Amino acid sequence: MRAQQLTGRVTDAATNLPMAWVNVYYDGMPVGTNTDEQGNFSLPLHAGKTLVVSFMGYERQNIAITAAVSKVEVLLRQSPHELQAAVVKGKKKKYSRKNNPAVELMKKVIAAKKQLDIHRHDYFSYNLYKKLTFSFNDVNERTFKDGMLKKLPFLEKHVEICPETGKRILPVTFQETTARQIWRKNPAAEKTIITGKREDGLNKFFTTGEILNSLLADCFADINIFDDNVRLLQHQFISPLSATNAISFYRYFIQDTVYVGDDRCIEVTFTPNNPQDFGFSGSLFILADSTYRVRQSKILFPQNSDVNFVEQLNINQEYKHLPSGDQVMESNKMTVQLSAIMDLARLQVQLTNRFTDYNLEPVADKEFRFGGTEMIDPNAELRKEDFWAEMRTDSLTKAEADIGLMVKEFQQMNNFNIFMFVFKAFVENYVETSNDPKKPSLIDIGPINTIFSHNFIDGFRLRASAQTTANLHPNIFGRGYVAYGFKDRRVKGMGELSYAFNKRAYSVNEYPYNNVSVSAQTDVMSPSDKFLPTDKDNVFSSFKVMTVDQMMYFTKVGARYQREWTNGMGFDVMVQRERDEGVGALFYQPLNGSPVPTWDTEAHRRYFNTTDLRLGVSYTPGVKYVNTKQRRIPVNNEAPIFTLSHTAGVKLLGGEHNYNFTEATVYKRFWLPSAFGRLDMFFKTGAQWNKVPYPLLIMPAANLSYVVHKGTFCMINNMEFLNDRYASAMITWDLSGKLFNRVPLLRKLKWREVMGVDALWGTLTDKNNPALHPDDSRLYYFPGHFNPDGSYEYSSHVMESDKPYVEVYAGVYNIFKILQVQAVRRLNYLYLPDAKKWGWRIKLELTF
């Protein structure tokens, strides 16, 4: 049940006109908002609190709120202001930056940042305590009588009042961390040494339970308003103290002179020009002296913010002045109230930071000598309660301290194991073979979404898959599957055995890799399936935009070594023997002088044999992952990705072809100024250096499903172009609602725009062009289809060297907060058979 709301309207007492951008908040609570253009506002009702209504040049109103109050009408009267007299006219005032004392003050505050920045020193260090708590919000008596907790009455004793919001919450998981932060100017380095770490709560029921805390920590990251841009909720926001965009993006208003502790401060409120842009509103408390230091900041989202699921976001930060003259953060508390998803529950996330023991003394070089930016002390997760009692700067609430008891009470519930079995299958895509904490799962069944699928050769397909866990052995892992196609009546399968040189907590895929593996696989696929980032027999990939009948049976055996370091460097070495057999409309037939192939039963049974040696290197500085049972997922897409690989084919172990293929890729995300969204850029280039038959040429990364997949072309058909030199550019511009937010009818829907262009440059050198060497049996006829009259129509083509393939798309996402729909337009090569001008793609994705 949603908390009772307090609504109201603010008007000018002299003109009776509605007043926009008025600050409305509860005294002593980080709960507030701004009025909209019609002077309206809405807040949760907190009986017994005082509502403050304030605006520059007007008398502040303090209104006592009782349980009987649900709506208020507020009249603000003009008053002399001690910093500027407000002139009230008979019409609505237009905000102006010219001759605006609030703007002039903020320019001085922004200019003073560099002189107050601790990073001007050669070294500094400090200690950090961090607590992250995840709770059910707005928990009341009806929640236990008629709501989702009806059958969990024992939870009622764990409910408590959140002092920041005044609401009843039920904490279900929390994590606390202590760390030492060290920084060095030259050579530049910033490191985190985690000295203590503990977590408790319902996430313990999931072997991938760290995903929740990792995603929460990424979405609700620490923010520093002294940075030009702030990353929060996986979006980038312009800081109210940005040296580049703040003055043009925000509106500033001087409110009053107040005291923060013993410090006399000028209160300046701010709000975005367009409240639905990704920006903050709130108050800055600036010392009323010549230093222009920020003593405190109170930050929230505008009432009409375009951010999903966030009903209220309140950040309260306090700063202190070091003897050296530097300004540093002393405390940070972020409280985020999330709206219900599908009416299931209202949630709250609370992050608390305390910063202590700032020190400007040199830090020994040896303390920086570890890979990556973070190191965990071997004893961090073994700390006893006396350690936490000493290091904890923010005490646990009773409910947080009792979370371990709540976990035990859950385990004693009837049918709890059955419920968790089903729930884990849905959430983790795997099913554990044991739910007993004393006997953890040795083998997991899955992925679940590959049990049923369909393709042209298999017809209806069944698959059974499993993998071992670190509970069986922390270094040795096995996985595999058996599949059966009811159309071709053939059994397929895969088996892989891996050894991790570093002990794993649960899965072999955990970061960083230091694994060696051997594998064998026999199955069926289309050549373009190798570009899909998911399992090729994922049930959702079964639905294709066209009939894909050019497929191949393959059998491959290989060995691989993967090594990564926490600084982002990695390499990959692999040797693989593969045998392919064309099936359906795909075949391998050497050129024999005829302009087109002829139906040849023997050719359609010809095997294509290769032996590969591959070396790849990668560099992903700053990347962070969360581990799932199926794969690891990067959580910070801002990290650039660089890869370089070379594959050499040799005539060994049954391989029949010598070849050399080199490929390089670059990915980077760029945030655009003034909240114009972000650009994702992905570039690839490659070359096949030798004369080779068409299976070894370079085919485009074609996506033939209806689902959007990054890094693939939507309107290119299976093997439509064959090249031995290529370069591709894929540029996506996510505007994050920048345009729709300015259209009144679309603004309320909170839809967001995305558009992009994908381009492919390709060429086929003369040595690999079958049309120029019709008698060269080292080359094969290109793929195609035999028509009923016996004629042959090619489906693979040579690109024009001066004419890149281009497709563009425009889409709308955040439909129902989960759906994305894209319209894709192919711009050229429309004369080719089976080329389609338009296409549609969809994607399901929850975003803030």
Side-chain angles (χ1 to χ4, degrees), residues 503-781:
K503 288 185 177 182
R504 297 307 189 187
Y506 195 85
S507 167
V508 70
N509 294 322
E510 294 165 16
Y511 179 80
Y513 285 139
N514 187 12
N515 309 332
V516 62
S517 61
V518 293
S519 63
Q521 184 179 17
T522 179
D523 211 328
V524 64
M525 64 180 290
S526 71
S528 61
D529 281 343
K530 66 182 180 180
F531 299 110
L532 295 180
T534 60
D535 295 287
K536 65 180 180 57
D537 53 353
N538 181 312
V539 64
F540 300 106
S541 299
S542 300
F543 302 97
K544 305 290 187 183
V545 298
M546 61 183 300
T547 300
V548 182
D549 58 0
Q550 293 172 323
M551 302 186 71
M552 62 185 187
Y553 290 118
F554 66 90
T555 299
K556 56 186 177 183
V557 179
R560 186 179 190 182
Y561 176 64
Q562 296 169 281
R563 182 73 167 96
E564 292 176 329
W565 289 268
T566 53
N567 62 2
M569 289 298 300
F571 75 89
D572 183 352
V573 180
M574 182 176 67
V575 56
Q576 179 175 277
R577 167 74 170 89
E578 182 170 347
R579 184 183 73 173
D580 299 336
E581 177 188 356
V583 64
L586 186 68
F587 60 92
Y588 309 123
Q589 183 174 341
L591 300 180
N592 58 19
S594 172
V596 294
T598 56
W599 180 261
D600 184 343
T601 303
E602 182 180 350
H604 280 253
R605 294 176 179 172
R606 184 184 302 275
Y607 293 115
F608 189 80
N609 298 290
T610 58
T611 299
D612 292 341
L613 301 174
R614 182 183 182 277
L615 172 64
V617 294
S618 62
Y619 181 52
T620 56
V623 70
K624 294 181 180 179
Y625 296 98
V626 293
N627 299 309
T628 72
K629 291 183 177 180
Q630 193 167 0
R631 60 179 60 86
R632 63 187 191 184
I633 303 171
V635 294
N636 57 330
N637 290 316
E638 288 79 4
I641 301 173
F642 305 92
T643 69
L644 176 65
S645 65
H646 184 80
T647 303
V650 295
K651 292 184 177 180
L652 297 173
L653 304 176
E656 300 172 345
H657 306 277
N658 288 322
Y659 55 90
N660 290 274
F661 172 56
T662 305
E663 188 172 48
T665 70
V666 177
Y667 164 85
K668 185 67 177 79
R669 170 171 290 179
F670 298 92
W671 290 94
L672 301 179
S674 299
F676 272 95
R678 64 176 185 255
L679 286 177
D680 285 351
M681 297 187 175
F682 185 36
F683 301 100
K684 297 176 67 176
T685 186
Q688 172 60 262
W689 304 103
N690 299 83
K691 172 178 277 193
V692 292
Y694 85 80
L696 295 173
L697 294 177
I698 306 168
M699 66 183 71
N703 173 21
L704 304 177
S705 73
Y706 287 98
V707 180
V708 174
H709 288 297
K710 290 183 179 180
T712 61
F713 293 92
C714 291
M715 302 304 294
I716 292 182
N717 296 323
N718 187 29
M719 297 186 297
E720 183 172 357
F721 301 113
L722 295 174
N723 306 302
D724 56 14
R725 307 285 191 277
Y726 91 98
S728 67
M730 296 182 172
I731 302 174
T732 300
W733 183 14
D734 184 338
L735 283 80
S736 300
K738 188 69 174 180
L739 299 180
F740 287 170
N741 287 344
R742 282 150 179 80
V743 180
L745 294 178
L746 295 177
R747 183 184 304 170
K748 293 183 178 181
L749 296 174
K750 293 189 176 182
W751 287 358
R752 301 173 188 169
E753 325 83 346
V754 63
M755 59 184 70
V757 57
D758 298 334
L760 172 68
W761 292 262
T763 186
L764 188 67
T765 57
D766 291 348
K767 66 176 179 288
N768 282 319
N769 192 335
L772 302 180
H773 307 279
D775 297 310
D776 192 339
S777 61
R778 289 176 297 176
L779 303 180
Y780 290 3
Y781 287 101

Side-chain angles (χ1 to χ4, degrees), residues 22-43:
V22 176
N23 297 286
V24 184
Y25 60 93
Y26 286 104
D27 187 27
M29 296 179 64
V31 178
T33 187
N34 296 104
T35 58
D36 61 20
E37 295 177 357
Q38 302 303 317
N40 298 314
F41 68 88
S42 177
L43 285 171

Side-chain angles (χ1 to χ4, degrees), residues 678 710 813-814 817-820 843-847:
R678 64 176 185 255
K710 290 183 179 180
Y813 72 101
N814 206 38
K817 299 183 180 180
I818 192 172
L819 176 64
Q820 178 179 152
K843 184 179 182 180
L844 298 178
E845 183 179 36
L846 281 172
T847 59

Side-chain angles (χ1 to χ4, degrees), residues 256-268:
D256 206 345
T257 302
V258 297
Y259 280 87
V260 178
D262 296 329
D263 297 316
R264 184 170 176 265
C265 299
I266 302 169
E267 180 184 0
V268 177

Side-chain angles (χ1 to χ4, degrees), residues 93-109:
K93 294 184 299 181
K94 182 178 180 180
Y95 180 82
S96 174
R97 295 180 179 85
K98 187 177 181 180
N99 299 323
N100 186 329
V103 173
E104 295 305 315
L105 174 61
M106 289 307 304
K107 287 180 179 179
K108 294 177 180 179
V109 173

